[in-house]
Amino acid sequence: MTVYKGTIAEFVGMKECISCLTVQDPADYTLPGHHIQDCIPLWTRHGKVMINAKSYMTLVDLFKPDMYYLLSDGDTNIASPAKRIKKAVQNTIKYHNECVDIHKNLNGVKNSFVMGAIAGGYDLNARKQCIEGVCQKDFVGGYLIDGLHNNGPEVELLQIGEISPVVEFVVNHIEPTKLRSIHGCWNPVVVLKLVQLGIDLFDTSYCYIVTERSCALTFVTDIDDKEEMFELNLRQPHFAEDFTPILTGCTCLTCSKYSRAYIHHLVTVQELLGPVLLTIHNVHHYMTFFNNIRKCIGNGTLNLLEEKVTKQFCTSENVVDSEKDVLLTDGHTESTELIENDTYRNNENSSVPISS
Ligand SMILES: [Zn+2]
């Protein structure tokens, strides 16, 4: 990139898309620990790379993304001790201020949309302290609720009841005009609940982890959709002679041209085209889901979509039983309360949910 001098979007041939730079990859498990003074560890294909505010902002300046997140210490989860949470908050405030100061002197990021981060694990006092530390300078366009987990596939199993107190607290304590973002491969039921709590921006790591287990998303994305399976595992032998598309009516390239039987063959023989075709369908399906979330917010039917997706999720054979139990016992009550709050519609300045 130093030699190339262009933007990262031009470099990868995707300048028609919005490029967004995150500190950690939400799709991959982030190994905890390994912090040293003023640096956080990034785990790359070549091992551990320690990064500080200066080296991070040098990267941002080289990549020139349309949007980027300021360096933060999100290495906390529900089991983190108070000492680690305190350190994460101190580091995040420090990195925030350092990155903002450096940003002002860089030419490459003049037009980039900047997102800050709120750390503090599951400790509401720590979250408050972090908000007070980073929200003093009205510089960023929005905030990431960081430090809820260590990324990777396990996020799919996290339950809304565990994270909602933190999410509600942060949403209620940051300026309503700021974009609110949360990272991780949350299942669609949790996504709908997070939208109701006021979250605007998600990522597509869920599509990646579903593809990694050779599955295709088929859950309902609209209130008028016919109920199919929540997702299909294309490795299952009965797909060997199923010559229908993954999802009838889907307009993606995969469903337009290929059958379940062909994709079953590809994933069985571990041909690279298998996950490529699954990714095309899964991302298309997930984007359709978000388009419909925006539509449902507009016409006031988000609660109907949530009911339908939750029911399908709870009756699907592919879903972990412990998740279903939680949703069937207390998930519904919670959902009703959240809809009454109408966080997303009371705030006129709030943007509509998007997936990056
Ligand atoms: Zn498709």
Side-chain angles (χ1 to χ4, degrees):
M1 286 304 294
T2 312
V3 176
Y4 181 68
K5 300 224 183 293
T7 67
I8 185 72
E10 290 164 350
F11 185 73
V12 298
M14 295 183 74
K15 63 179 181 180
E16 72 282 4
C17 299
I18 293 174
S19 56
C20 175
L21 179 71
T22 60
V23 179
Q24 305 285 359
D25 181 355
D28 277 334
Y29 176 66
T30 308
L31 210 59
H34 300 265
H35 297 262
I36 58 166
Q37 183 95 33
D38 297 336
C39 288
I40 65 156
L42 291 185
W43 298 93
T44 73
R45 288 179 187 173
H46 306 289
K48 182 175 68 175
V49 176
M50 299 308 293
I51 196 158
N52 61 20
K54 191 164 176 253
S55 53
Y56 179 68
M57 290 305 291
T58 304
L59 273 177
V60 176
D61 192 34
L62 280 175
F63 286 175
K64 303 174 191 62
D66 297 314
M67 170 178 177
Y68 79 94
Y69 287 84
L70 299 177
L71 190 65
S72 61
D73 181 346
D75 182 13
T76 49
N77 55 46
I78 199 160
S80 294
K83 193 177 167 190
R84 172 85 279 274
I85 292 171
K86 189 179 171 193
K87 196 69 193 166
V89 170
Q90 286 172 351
N91 285 344
T92 298
I93 296 171
K94 183 173 182 295
Y95 297 150
H96 181 99
N97 292 330
E98 287 174 355
C99 288
V100 167
D101 289 342
I102 298 170
H103 175 104
K104 288 173 180 168
N105 296 316
L106 296 177
N107 282 329
V109 292
K110 262 185 193 159
N111 299 321
S112 294
F113 186 86
V114 186
M115 293 285 287
I118 310 289
Y122 289 71
D123 180 337
L124 299 187
N125 285 328
R127 291 279 174 183
K128 187 164 183 275
Q129 198 190 342
C130 194
I131 291 166
E132 286 167 358
V134 302
C135 294
Q136 291 166 348
K137 297 179 184 176
D138 188 20
F139 178 80
V140 298
Y143 293 98
L144 165 72
I145 304 178
D146 204 6
L148 291 169
H149 52 72
N150 289 89
N151 300 310
E154 285 187 14
V155 175
E156 190 186 8
L157 305 176
L158 285 180
Q159 289 148 10
I160 188 68
E162 290 175 321
I163 59 169
S164 59
V166 178
V167 175
E168 271 185 279
F169 182 85
V170 175
V171 167
N172 290 334
H173 283 79
I174 57 177
E175 270 186 67
T177 52
K178 302 290 182 189
L179 196 69
R180 305 127 183 190
S181 168
I182 198 161
H183 284 162
C185 41
W186 311 98
N187 69 59
V189 176
V190 174
V191 166
L192 285 165
K193 289 180 185 297
L194 287 170
V195 168
Q196 288 165 358
L197 285 172
I199 300 299
D200 303 303
L201 182 65
F202 297 82
D203 61 79
T204 50
S205 53
Y206 182 67
C207 303
Y208 171 79
I209 63 138
V210 170
T211 302
E212 282 291 287
R213 56 176 178 247
S214 303
C215 287
L217 293 171
T218 51
F219 66 89
V220 287
T221 58
D222 205 348
I223 48 176
D224 301 323
D225 279 1
K226 193 168 135 262
E227 279 187 34
E228 306 270 349
M229 292 280 289
F230 200 83
E231 64 180 45
L232 304 178
N233 185 341
L234 271 303
R235 279 189 181 276
Q236 288 176 344
H238 65 89
F239 288 117
E241 296 196 19
D242 185 342
F243 297 100
T244 59
I246 290 174
L247 187 61
T248 305
C250 177
T251 56
C252 81
L253 177 89
T254 305
C255 292
S256 309
K257 290 185 178 288
Y258 303 101
S259 66
R260 294 174 177 183
Y262 181 57
I263 300 163
H264 167 78
H265 163 74
L266 293 174
V267 296
T268 310
V269 299
Q270 298 189 323
E271 175 61 52
L272 182 62
L273 185 59
V276 170
L277 292 180
L278 279 175
T279 299
I280 290 171
H281 168 78
N282 286 338
V283 172
H284 177 91
H285 193 77
Y286 204 57
M287 290 303 176
T288 306
F289 176 50
F290 275 83
N291 279 337
N292 289 335
I293 289 176
R294 286 189 285 271
K295 190 182 83 182
C296 287
I297 290 172
N299 61 23
T301 55
L302 192 64
N303 56 336
L304 296 178
L305 180 63
E306 195 219 334
E307 263 176 40
K308 197 157 179 174
V309 176
T310 305
K311 183 174 155 238
Q312 191 190 25
F313 184 80
C314 293
T315 52
S316 172
E317 289 169 15
N318 291 3
V319 178
V320 180
D321 284 344
S322 59
E323 284 183 89
K324 291 181 196 173
D325 290 344
V326 170
L327 287 164
L328 285 172
T329 50
D330 61 19
H332 226 73
T333 316
E334 193 175 346
S335 131
T336 311
E337 287 166 3
L338 296 178
I339 293 161
E340 282 167 5
N341 287 341
D342 260 351
T343 313
Y344 53 93
R345 260 182 276 135
N346 286 342
N347 174 13
E348 288 176 4
N349 294 315
S350 172
S351 47
V352 291
I354 49 176
S355 171
S356 64

